[in-house]
Amino acid sequence: KALLVNLVPPPRKKRPESLTGREQEILEFIWAGFKNKEIGQRLKISVKTVEAHRANMMKKMRVSNTAQLLKTAIQGSMIKIR
């Protein structure tokens, strides 16, 4: 009997999508320790909008919490540690 070989390559991990300028701005506020309400006040946008941007970033970066978001951002050189 012939041995069947799987010719389908394993799925490649796609790079995370790049962040928009606003998402990058919010990411830096998160890194600085600001809460969603404080970020919204500083950027003159609603808390719901901040939450939507945060959710979009987490989806793009394939993470499920803020610690993972910041870790992935550091590893991807999206934020600088000073």
Side-chain angles (χ1 to χ4, degrees):
K1 289 182 176 178
L3 183 62
L4 294 176
V5 179
N6 185 358
L7 299 176
V8 178
R12 277 189 286 172
K13 281 190 171 182
K14 291 190 289 184
R15 303 183 42 202
E17 298 173 51
S18 58
L19 300 181
T20 65
R22 182 61 102 185
E23 288 169 344
Q24 181 68 42
E25 198 173 13
I26 290 171
L27 180 63
E28 290 170 12
F29 277 116
I30 294 168
W31 174 247
F34 290 92
K35 294 177 175 60
N36 288 348
K37 183 178 179 181
E38 296 167 322
I39 295 168
Q41 289 170 341
R42 287 176 180 260
L43 297 177
K44 297 180 177 27
I45 59 177
S46 75
V47 175
K48 291 279 189 194
T49 302
V50 175
E51 291 168 353
H53 283 303
R54 184 188 287 250
N56 288 338
M57 285 188 280
M58 291 173 73
K59 185 176 178 184
K60 285 181 181 182
M61 297 168 88
R62 298 180 195 87
V63 299
S64 58
N65 61 50
T66 303
Q68 292 172 342
L69 176 69
L70 293 173
K71 178 182 175 188
T72 303
I74 291 166
Q75 290 173 335
S77 300
M78 296 175 194
I79 53 178
K80 304 284 184 239
I81 301 173
R82 296 175 201 184

